[in-house]
Structure formats: C-alpha cells, structure tokens
Amino acid sequence: MSMGQLLMSGISAVFNPSMFFMVCIAIILGTVFGALPGVSATMAVALGLTFTYTMQPIPAIVFLTAIYCSSITGGSITAILFKIPGVPSSAPTTFDGYPMAQRGEAGKALGVALLASAIGGVFSALAMFLLSQPLTAAALKFGPSDLFAVTFLGLSILTCLDSDHILTCIISGLIGLLLACIGQDKMYAVQRLTFGSSQLFAGVEMIPVLIGLFAITEVFNQTNPKKKRLSAEDGVTGGKVNTKMPSLKEFLSIKWTLIRCSLVGTVVGILPGAGATIASFMCYTMETKLSKYPEKFGTGIIDGIAASEASNNAATGGAMVPLLSLGIPGGNAAAVMMSAMTLKGVQLGPLLLTQQPTYLSATFMSMIVTNILMVIVAMWIAKVFAQILAIPYYYLGPIIVMLAIIGSYANQMAIADVQIMVIAGVLGLLVKVCHFNSAAIVLGLVLGGMCESNFSRAYTMSKANVGAMFSPVQHPIAFVLIIICLALLLSPIIMPLFKKKKQA
Amino acid sequence: MFELILNVLLFVFFGWAFFTHVLEAAVPAKVLKNPYALKPDVWPKAIIILLEICLLINIIKIIRKNKGKENFTISAFIASIPEFFKSKLFQGILILAVASFILEPLGFMVTSFLVLIAYGWLLGARKYGQLVLMSLLITFILYIVFSGLLSVNLPRGTIGFLRSFALTLEGIVQNVKNLFGGSKPAEETVQAATALLRSLPVMLG
C-alpha cells in the first residue's frame, strides 16, 4: 500500500461523527486521568482498556491512542497550577509553568503547554508514519538472530537508564523474562513453571497483571498517604483559569525550541525503555544550554514549558514507532497498548503494514486528530479543573478499583483474572520495597516470548552454534546489535574501572 | 530488613524452581532426537542462573549497605509486623482480596456497592449517608456504562435471588436498548422477573 493510500484509509477510518465523538470522550478521560496526580499515563491506558472490550478493532485502537496521547498532556495542567506534575513527565513543566502562574500568567502558560504538546504530538505521529514503512521493510529482511538481537537491545537499554539501581533493574528484567516462560513453551508445547496450576497453562495473563501493577498498586500507595492531597484552593488561581494562546510573536520566538524538542523527544521515544519523562528532562536541560538567556530558565519563561511539553508528547508518539513496526514497546504505557492491541487481533511488527495496513493508518490518523482536538478539549478541562479536583479521593480511589476489577474480569470473563490482578497489585508493592523496576519487569514479560522463540529458531538454523548466530559475516546486524547490548550491560562494571584509572 | 528477606526468599524460591519446576512434562521425542533444537528447559534455566547470581550480589550489597544500622535486625522486623496488620494498606489489600472472592457468588452489583463503601470508608469518607448514596449511584452508572452501553457481561452472581435480580436488570436494559433499536421485547426479562418474584418469599423468610 502506498503512502497516499495509507493516508486515505486512515482518514476514512477516523473521519466520521461517531469516531470523532469517541475521540472526544477519550481525550476527556485521558486529560482528566493525566491531570489527576496519582493516575499515570500507563494507568490511564490500562483503565481505558476496560472500555474497549466490546469495540471493533479500529474504534478500540483510536480510543486507546487518544487516551494515551492526551494523558501526557493532562499532566501539564496540574504542573502549572499546582507545581505538582500530574504525570512524571510533566515535572520539568513545573520549573517555568508554576512561576508564570504565580505571576498571574497561568492562562498563557497553559496555552503554550497545550500548543507545544500538540506540535510535539503531531510531529511524532508524522515521524511514525514516515518511518514505519522503511523500518518494516528492514524488519522483514531480519532473520531470527537479528530479531533476537533487536529484542535483546530493547531490554539492555533499560539497564543504563536507571543508573542508581542497575543491578535491581537487571534482576527485574530477568524476572520479567522468567514470567514470560510460564505455561506451555511456544516452540514445543512443553509445560514449564506452572506449579501445577491449570490457570497458568496458557501463560501469565498480561492484562490483569498490567492493571494490577499500574492501577491497583497506585491505589494501595495512596491508601497510606504521607502527604496532604490536592485541593482546588492549593492552586495559584484557585484552580480556575482561562487559557490564552501565545501571540504570534511569542510563538515564533520559540519555534526552534519546538522543532528541536519535538525531534529529540521522538528519537528518545523510539528508544525502548526511554520514555516521556527522560525526554522532557533531557530537552529541558538541552534548551537551557542552547538558550541565549539560560539564566531565565526556571523563572517562568515560555521556552521552558515548550521544551518540556513538546518533547514528552513527541516521545509518546515516538514510542509507537518500534511498537507498530517491530512489535517492541518503547515503555510502560506502550507495553499496555501492545497487550490491548494484540487482544484486538492486531499483528504488531513487520506484518502489520503488509497484512493490516488500515490499523496502522488508523493509529496515525487518530494521533493527529487527538493532538489537534486535545488543545480545545484540554482548554475546557483547565477551566473546570477546580470541580474535577473537588472529587475527593475516597470516591475516585474506589472508582479506579472498580474499573480495574471490570477491566480484569471482562478480559475473558474469568474471576481468576481478578484474583491475578489483586496479586499483581500486592507484588507491585513488593517490587517497590525491593527497589526493583516495574517497567523492566513488564518489558521482560512482554518481550520474553519473542526473545526466546527467535533465539531458539536462530539456534537451530545455525546448527546449535551460538557463535555462528551472531557472526559478523553471516549476520552483521545481529553482530553489531549484540556488541551494543554487551557494552550496555557491561558498562556498569567497566565504567567505574575507567574512572578509578583516571583518578589514579 | 524486609528488602533483604524478600531477596533471600526470591533466591530460595528460584533455586527450588530450577530443580523442580522448569520442566513439568516430558520433552517430545522428536525434540530430543534433533541435536540442533534448543531444549525447552535451556532458556528458563539460563535465566534462573543469571537471576540467582544477580540476587546473590544484591543480597551482599544490601547487607553491606545496612550493616550496623539499628533497625537492621530480625527482631526489629518482627516487631514491625503488627504495625503492618493494623495499617490502612493491609486493610485495603484485604478489601480487594475479599472482593475478588465474593464477585462470583454475589455478582457485580452487590460487590461493587460493598467495595465502594468499604474502600471509601478506608480512604476517609465519614459522611455515611452520602457514601451509601454515592456508592449506589456509582454502581448504577458503572452498570449502565459497561453492561448497557458497552455490552460487557458482568458477573451475575450464583446465589439464586441475586442472579434473578441481575437477569431482570439485564432484561430491562435490553428492553430499553430495543426501544431505541426497534426490535421485539426480550422474553427473558419476563422470565427473569417471574423468577425474582418467586424467590421473594424465600428471601423474606
């Protein structure tokens, strides 16, 4: 299918009144979820999944994509008005957003945040659309050893992101990989690690585990609150605000910031494991260094808000690139998207473009539509935000719990799934105690099956010779990728040695 | 201390799993005959070995980091256990665990109502009348959205009259839908309502 045909199929899939209505509902849900502290973008997607069980694949994809994109934007509302990021990736938005709000410029700060989010989002959607064809073409030429190396790279990158807890990060990834082994082996259908439970024959059910880890654990955490919860009066403007778009002159003054941060955000989003949070911090620091007036950053300038918001929304779209064309999620929220889309019968990976191109174009088009509609819807939400915050957590928390219960149950109408969800919620608490990384566990779990089956195929094809699997002559791509993986994995051991030598 | 205990437990558990549960069924003969096939136990075993090495290093790290700290003792940990059982967190876990078991016998409506009340109370709701009303309202909205609009099959419950109640409701929802969709009224509603009426005397006494 050519680019033009793809575009047309996307437009015909999304541009109809019922779909527009659904996108609006999803944006409202996503923005509100994102704006509420304690509800992450991942949780928003996990809870949004509950609404999509009975939908057809395309509406479900459109609905979830809209929730996914808008939840990141919602975080900026609380960041600017309350100095508390609604989602972690909005943290740098507080640096300049809150001082602006204190000066009485909350409306303008919000306007810039929404506009920057939309530009970042549209940019990354275009990147996704343009990159998916060449990436798919390349991925179709990949053999099992190359595919194994790509998946393994996705897991290895995780380790160098959380540099303070590298060991626990590796342990988490390995636990995820081991969880993926539970049930019947995909190559020869031999039972493994089921501990006699018939529930586990088909493997660990992904959806309840994800809902448990991301929604229930968070509600548990909020059950023992250490801090006072937000109320509308805490905000600089009493929570009520009128958004105001920046003037053309102001907009032109930040155009390069917007372009740079959208680009960097997209690239960071494409890297597995590195999500919106890393992108926004990275771009904020980058802009401080590149700016002609670095001293003004942090005092309340629109450049800071634009850098943070353009990049975190760009990263959201960027994460969809490897997900759609290679079947490798770029982060937590993308991993939930992956499970949801697989449930809907979407074949993520190289086959998507060749066999189900409409799904790809629907995702692209819904990202574009969401990012544009979001500006209008989020503006309205910012206006009524005081009322939303007035919903006490003793109603919101139990509602999240009920949505999670329905979401887990409706997956396959099984009570056992609800029990798995509760167990996963408790495990999420233990993961926190041990300083393990839940993102690494989820990526391990999601990628484990693919990693093993490709390794197994490559092993057989190279006649049980592991060296030949990654030989630079036969499999140059796999060779290069494995070298990068080894460098990443061994860097925590090697780097300190270098530092010691330098010091000596 | 809890972190150390969890790491040790994981270490022991994975060690036990390595020897007992990696393979739980016989490997097919054709796989055994093929010298180039990766046996199904190799991958998980390799992961467990790496995991055990990392866990061991982590255990040593935790011990080194906390050595000499006052509360880094087993007795301090045991002393902190009763505190956990009194905590709101434990009560929250308990509510959800109970909910996951009563969902099947009591059905969605009753479970949702009870969870909303119990968890709402736990999170600090003290206006009881309002809490009960809101819980009823939220249950109703959730039911209409998921069962009515999105056609999700929510658990009906296995206890006779609760099941009849759920079926009656489903029938009413279906009839309302049919009103807008223009199809014939569902006969099941009448049947379910009759069943509910018949079970009333049993309920009352």
Side-chain angles (χ1 to χ4, degrees):
Chain A
M1 207 184 249
S2 74
M3 284 285 200
Q5 285 171 317
L6 258 184
L7 203 62
M8 283 315 290
S9 75
I11 290 172
S12 64
V14 179
F15 280 77
N16 66 60
S18 65
M19 214 65 108
F20 257 71
F21 175 70
M22 218 167 61
V23 169
C24 285
I25 300 275
I27 294 176
I28 294 173
L29 276 177
T31 317
V32 171
F33 279 155
L36 290 167
V39 185
S40 63
T42 316
M43 184 176 178
V45 181
L47 293 179
L49 176 64
T50 312
F51 295 89
T52 60
Y53 284 115
T54 47
M55 288 183 192
Q56 292 295 313
I58 288 180
I61 292 170
V62 172
F63 188 83
L64 287 172
T65 314
I67 287 196
Y68 176 50
C69 294
S70 52
S71 56
I72 297 277
T73 310
S76 64
I77 302 178
T78 7
I80 290 169
L81 298 179
F82 299 89
K83 209 188 173 182
I84 292 173
V87 286
S89 60
S90 296
T93 313
T94 58
F95 303 159
D96 282 289
Y98 189 68
M100 273 183 86
Q102 279 178 315
R103 282 204 307 261
E105 294 177 320
K108 199 208 273 178
L110 276 171
V112 173
L114 296 181
L115 201 65
S117 299
I119 291 173
V122 170
F123 185 92
S124 65
L126 285 171
M128 184 202 93
F129 191 64
L130 295 174
L131 282 177
S132 52
Q133 275 196 330
L135 257 181
T136 303
L140 280 172
K141 286 182 193 139
F142 280 11
S145 47
D146 304 316
L147 281 173
F148 167 76
V150 171
T151 334
F152 195 55
L153 180 69
L155 286 166
S156 314
I157 286 181
L158 265 179
T159 55
C160 60
L161 293 174
D162 196 357
S163 55
D164 295 335
H165 303 106
I166 291 169
L167 186 63
T168 45
C169 212
I170 295 178
I171 294 176
S172 315
L174 286 170
I175 291 177
L177 284 177
L178 196 63
L179 285 175
C181 294
I182 292 176
Q184 285 193 338
D185 154 41
K186 295 206 174 46
M187 299 295 284
Y188 309 110
V190 177
Q191 280 162 39
R192 301 182 303 192
L193 297 162
T194 64
F195 302 93
S197 160
S198 57
Q199 305 278 359
L200 292 174
F201 275 11
V204 175
E205 199 52 56
M206 288 292 289
I207 308 266
V209 170
L210 292 175
I211 294 179
L213 273 179
F214 295 119
I216 296 299
T217 304
E218 195 46 48
V219 176
F220 282 155
N221 280 329
Q222 301 275 334
T223 309
N224 255 356
K226 291 192 180 76
K227 283 182 287 180
K228 186 180 157 274
R229 287 200 181 89
L230 271 189
S231 75
E233 292 76 43
D234 297 337
V236 258
T237 52
K240 213 167 189 178
V241 72
N242 283 319
T243 43
K244 203 177 121 200
M245 280 293 142
S247 68
L248 187 68
K249 199 180 156 197
E250 284 169 323
F251 178 68
L252 286 177
S253 73
I254 52 167
K255 62 177 185 296
W256 292 115
T257 305
L258 287 171
I259 295 171
R260 268 196 303 268
C261 295
S262 301
L263 186 70
V264 174
T266 309
V267 174
V268 173
I270 292 174
L271 294 176
T277 313
I278 289 162
S280 60
F281 274 101
M282 210 166 125
C283 284
Y284 189 85
T285 321
M286 179 183 83
E287 282 306 310
T288 321
K289 286 187 179 142
L290 288 176
S291 171
K292 286 176 195 151
Y293 35 85
E295 71 287 349
K296 284 190 183 168
F297 273 80
T299 59
I301 54 169
I302 54 172
D303 306 50
I305 301 173
S308 160
E309 286 303 313
S311 56
N312 65 25
N313 271 67
T316 318
M320 295 297 276
V321 176
L323 175 65
L324 295 174
S325 44
L326 301 173
I328 297 171
N332 269 348
V336 181
M337 282 289 286
M338 180 175 174
S339 316
M341 288 169 112
T342 315
L343 193 76
K344 286 284 154 204
V346 181
Q347 284 184 310
L348 294 165
L351 291 179
L352 179 69
L353 191 63
T354 45
Q355 295 188 353
Q356 302 169 322
T358 334
Y359 293 166
L360 180 92
S361 54
T363 313
F364 162 71
M365 224 42 229
S366 62
M367 279 166 82
I368 298 273
V369 170
T370 302
N371 278 297
I372 295 167
L373 276 181
M374 191 172 70
V375 179
I376 305 158
V377 179
M379 265 183 188
W380 171 72
I381 288 177
K383 276 183 195 168
V384 294
F385 197 59
Q387 280 94 312
I388 295 171
L389 268 189
I391 304 171
Y393 196 77
Y394 50 73
Y395 291 136
L396 183 68
I399 293 175
I400 294 176
V401 168
M402 280 321 295
L403 284 178
I405 289 181
I406 299 172
S408 308
Y409 176 80
N411 179 30
Q412 45 184 8
M413 310 295 161
I415 300 284
D417 282 353
V418 181
Q419 288 155 355
I420 290 176
M421 175 202 76
V422 178
I423 294 169
V426 177
L427 284 180
L429 289 173
L430 299 180
V431 160
K432 219 178 158 193
V433 171
C434 291
H435 302 106
F436 290 164
N437 185 326
S438 53
I441 296 183
V442 168
L443 278 192
L445 179 58
V446 171
L447 296 177
M450 211 199 298
C451 225
E452 186 190 355
S453 47
N454 280 316
F455 185 84
S456 181
R457 271 184 217 118
Y459 184 82
T460 311
M461 281 165 74
S462 63
K463 300 193 171 160
N465 183 349
V466 179
M469 274 165 69
F470 307 109
S471 100
V473 185
Q474 287 165 302
H475 306 286
I477 303 170
F479 173 74
V480 173
L481 290 176
I482 285 293
I483 295 289
I484 298 174
C485 291
L486 289 178
L488 286 172
L489 287 172
L490 296 176
S491 64
I493 306 168
I494 297 165
M495 289 303 265
L497 294 177
F498 271 106
K499 275 183 192 164
K500 267 184 197 168
K501 261 190 186 174
K502 264 192 182 175
Q503 279 170 356
Chain B
M1 195 62 192
F2 190 35
E3 188 186 356
L4 178 70
I5 293 172
L6 283 176
N7 273 277
V8 172
L9 284 177
L10 279 179
F11 183 81
V12 174
F13 173 74
F14 288 133
W16 170 70
F18 182 89
F19 291 107
T20 53
H21 283 281
V22 169
L23 274 188
E24 292 171 329
V27 180
K30 65 167 187 186
V31 182
L32 289 174
K33 274 185 210 155
N34 182 355
Y36 303 136
L38 188 74
K39 310 287 177 292
D41 59 333
V42 177
W43 177 261
K45 277 192 172 167
I47 293 172
I48 295 180
I49 291 171
L50 284 174
L51 199 51
E52 291 287 72
I53 296 170
C54 291
L55 279 171
L56 200 62
I57 301 172
N58 201 29
I59 289 169
I60 296 168
K61 261 179 111 177
I62 297 169
I63 295 174
R64 273 195 189 164
K65 204 173 93 184
N66 294 297
K67 217 176 185 181
K69 280 188 185 167
E70 241 177 72
N71 51 4
F72 192 66
T73 55
I74 302 255
S75 53
F77 170 70
I78 294 172
S80 70
I81 293 176
E83 206 179 298
F84 168 73
F85 284 113
K86 279 182 211 156
S87 71
K88 281 189 170 183
L89 178 64
F90 175 70
Q91 293 168 22
I93 296 173
L94 209 62
I95 291 175
L96 278 195
V98 171
S100 70
F101 281 97
I102 61 170
L103 187 60
E104 189 157 34
L106 299 189
F108 172 77
M109 296 290 264
V110 179
T111 311
S112 169
F113 178 64
L114 293 177
V115 166
L116 289 166
I117 286 192
Y119 222 106
W121 173 81
L122 186 69
L123 288 168
R126 289 297 174 265
K127 290 175 190 162
Y128 295 109
Q130 198 188 24
L131 180 64
V132 171
L133 271 179
M134 281 299 282
S135 301
L136 269 177
L137 185 71
I138 295 168
T139 303
F140 181 69
I141 294 173
L142 286 175
Y143 186 82
I144 293 295
V145 169
F146 287 100
S147 183
L149 297 177
L150 297 169
S151 311
V152 171
N153 288 327
L154 295 168
R156 292 171 178 143
T158 48
I159 296 173
F161 70 92
L162 289 175
R163 196 174 174 79
S164 310
F165 174 64
L167 283 168
T168 313
L169 264 183
E170 275 174 36
I172 294 169
V173 170
Q174 191 57 46
N175 277 348
V176 173
K177 271 179 154 179
N178 290 344
L179 267 182
F180 292 100
S183 35
K184 58 171 187 173
E187 273 176 32
E188 294 87 15
T189 321
V190 184
Q191 285 171 4
T194 324
L196 182 67
L197 283 174
R198 275 187 197 148
S199 63
L200 269 178
V202 184
M203 278 159 64
L204 295 172

